[in-house]
Amino acid sequence: MPIFASVNCKWGGASPMLVLGLETSCDETAAALVDAQGRVLSDVVQSQVALHAPYGGVIPELASRDHLTNLPHVVSLALEQAGATLASVDAVAVTCRPGLVGALLVGVQFAKGLAWAAGKPLVGVDHLVGHLFACQLRRGADAPTLPALPFVALLVSGGHTAIYRVEGVTPEAVCELGATRDDAAGEAFDKVAKLLGLGYPGGPAIDRLAREAVPEPGLFTPPMASTKTLDLSFSGLKTQVAAHVAKHGVPEGLRLAVVCASFQAAVTTVLTNKLMAAAKREGVRDVVLGGGVAANRELRARVSEASKLLGLRVHLPDLASSTDNAAMIAYAGALAHRAGVSHGWDLLATSATSLPRATRKGRGTR
């Protein structure tokens, strides 16, 4: 269906607001149609994993070019699957930060063109805000239980790892309680997977192998395990694995599974303990998990079990809502637009998040 088709569409029983979301912050070209109630009417993702896998990571220039090639088709397909047209959309939301600037620029400029041509409001969305509210997306018949404000959220991905207190839908209502001082957790997964010869992306490979063994006590020391601080660190853990490989060689068979299980247990234990400590300190009842590493089987299980023991309500995104997707961008855009947020044609793409940052990178006294 052409993007600019003029057929109108009415939604029985749905919120009157329908938002088209675009996501091009890294290596996923995505478009989705979502209403203000969080119902996902379509969600199309064109992955670039095969494109970047030979290089062991994302090549920014290749990512931008692939977004240019695929975005028109992905948007058309999202509209078609939702039975909608651009004329029936109430707003266009697009990831404008943070991410690879070249990749973001493709999505932002495309969204500007769509919004201008159709006379629709334009809403720039912080990618991290999208992850914070992704657990509210409704992908099936049953609506998810919404977390009560304020809540504490652990956002953990390949580029970001932080714990936030969330009091509203705008960046000004989000407060960073602690974050990684060096590598993000997802980055550590990918780097360790490369050390172990598991290829890219590394997180799913480690998670899969970890199921085949139990962690070996004492093999790796959990990083910054004390809950006296909510800051995190994963560079040292990565170095521990590198030292193990240098001494013993790249493990194979069951030993490889044990190393994966031990590394993953160290990461997920620290993340879970810090999140629970944050919830206790802030006096909230609801905890939220978001970001690509939120798809990790062990992290989901640990957070769920720990929340149950503490009498907290845990909110986990669907697996499809954990990794980068446009549905979360459309929904965050709908929430922001409903709160009166819109942007002009001077909307910029930038690598910096709009969320306030309190954690200083590197070592030293705080």
Side-chain angles (χ1 to χ4, degrees), residues 99 120 130 150 166 195 205 281-282 292 305 341:
K120 305 295 182 180
V166 181
L195 286 169
R281 193 183 84 178
E282 296 299 311
E305 181 62 26
V341 176

Side-chain angles (χ1 to χ4, degrees), residues 9 33 52 58 65 127 138 148 156 171-172 194 249 270 342 355:
C9 178
L33 273 295
H52 300 287
V58 177
R65 294 174 189 173
H127 184 81
R138 180 176 176 178
V156 54
E172 296 76 19
K194 189 173 183 178
V270 168
S342 63
L355 299 184

